Amino acid sequence: EAQVTQNPRYLITVTGKKLTVTCSQNMNHEYMSWYRQDPGLGLRQIYYSMNVEVTDKGDVPEGYKVSRKEKRNFPLILESPSPNQTSLYFCASSPGGKNEQFFGPGTRLTVL
Amino acid sequence: QKEVEQNSGPLSVPEGAIASLNCTYSDRGSQSFFWYRQYSGKSPELIMSIYSNGDQEDGRFTAQLNKASQYVSLLIRDSQPSDSATYLCALNTGNQFYFGTGTSLTVIP
């Protein structure tokens, strides 16, 4: 089944404790992206990757890191999480940078 | 100015009616346009993609794009209670994607 998977689905952590949210797709898509969704602000792009080893900032990259060492995986790293990073996070993939995206199930992160 | 603007609603229509959702955007360089449906607590699900001016139909859904006026719309015919969700307008500019904040639709049985 073609899908985007994310782990964990739910995470509660404390300020400053490094965490990684994994994202994997099995559709051989070149483009992958991370979003956060907050009430009243909608989906905002954090980082995106056009292909392996190619990443770029979206609209809200501060406090986040990404890497794309393999085509299928695109982890999101929070080196020192803060409460303002409490949000619902979605990973998405797309055949290319101008095509429709397919979303993972989401990760609900709470930073205390 | 926001890249993508949507009326947040809520929009209520009776079952069987046509629901009309609208979206305006600011960047004339935007190339690809999408409508997603999102149920509460779930991930966005693609409904329609539209890349050129005019109408595009898929079953009960019709997307309309007018680049000169910088708006894109979604019509849902024969609305069903299962269509009750938040509808997100999205577009691509360069290699980035921008989403509206969504319009909440309720279809009343």
Side-chain angles (χ1 to χ4, degrees):
Chain A
E1 179 190 356
Q3 59 183 351
V4 179
T5 57
Q6 293 179 229
N7 283 292
R9 295 289 312 281
Y10 302 91
L11 179 59
I12 300 174
T13 189
V14 295
T15 299
K17 185 176 181 181
K18 181 180 178 180
L19 66 92
T20 299
V21 184
T22 64
C23 173
S24 184
Q25 51 93 5
N26 63 1
M27 295 171 278
N28 201 34
H29 284 170
E30 293 190 346
Y31 187 97
M32 297 186 74
S33 183
W34 275 102
Y35 295 87
R36 61 177 290 174
Q37 187 172 36
D38 302 290
L41 297 176
L43 275 162
R44 293 178 293 167
Q45 196 169 34
I46 302 171
Y47 269 96
Y48 63 93
S49 169
M50 296 292 295
N51 213 324
V52 176
E53 302 291 2
V54 180
T55 62
D56 212 341
K57 296 177 181 179
D59 269 359
V60 288
E62 293 76 21
Y64 305 95
K65 284 177 57 177
V66 293
S67 68
R68 186 94 180 272
K69 292 182 169 40
E70 303 167 286
K71 197 171 188 178
R72 64 183 291 125
N73 296 323
F74 190 46
L76 179 70
I77 303 157
L78 283 72
E79 294 267 2
S80 182
S82 62
N84 65 11
Q85 293 178 298
T86 292
S87 188
L88 179 59
Y89 291 86
F90 289 104
C91 179
S93 74
S94 169
K98 305 196 189 318
N99 304 104
E100 59 272 12
Q101 296 180 91
F102 299 90
F103 284 81
T107 295
R108 188 166 292 281
L109 172 66
T110 302
V111 183
L112 302 174
Chain B
Q1 183 181 4
K2 290 185 181 177
E3 296 280 344
V4 185
E5 298 267 11
Q6 290 183 258
N7 187 327
S8 62
L11 173 66
S12 294
V13 299
E15 184 174 355
I18 296 175
S20 177
L21 305 160
N22 299 308
C23 169
T24 59
Y25 62 95
S26 59
D27 190 338
R28 287 189 175 274
S30 300
Q31 298 172 290
S32 312
F33 303 85
F34 311 94
W35 282 99
Y36 287 84
R37 176 173 62 197
Q38 187 176 26
Y39 295 111
S40 181
K42 302 295 186 182
S43 57
E45 171 191 12
L46 180 72
I47 298 175
M48 298 281 296
S49 306
I50 186 165
Y51 299 94
S52 56
N53 277 331
D55 294 1
Q56 186 153 316
E57 188 174 315
D58 184 0
R60 296 186 296 113
F61 299 97
T62 299
Q64 300 172 317
L65 174 61
N66 184 323
K67 288 188 175 181
S69 300
Q70 293 176 251
Y71 84 77
V72 57
S73 63
L74 179 71
L75 298 177
I76 307 174
R77 290 181 299 281
D78 188 24
S79 295
Q80 301 296 309
S82 59
D83 294 327
S84 298
T86 297
Y87 288 81
L88 307 176
C89 174
L91 56 82
N92 163 269
T93 300
N95 294 317
Q96 286 191 244
F97 287 85
Y98 298 92
F99 284 76
T101 52
T103 298
S104 175
L105 172 67
T106 299
V107 180
I108 303 166

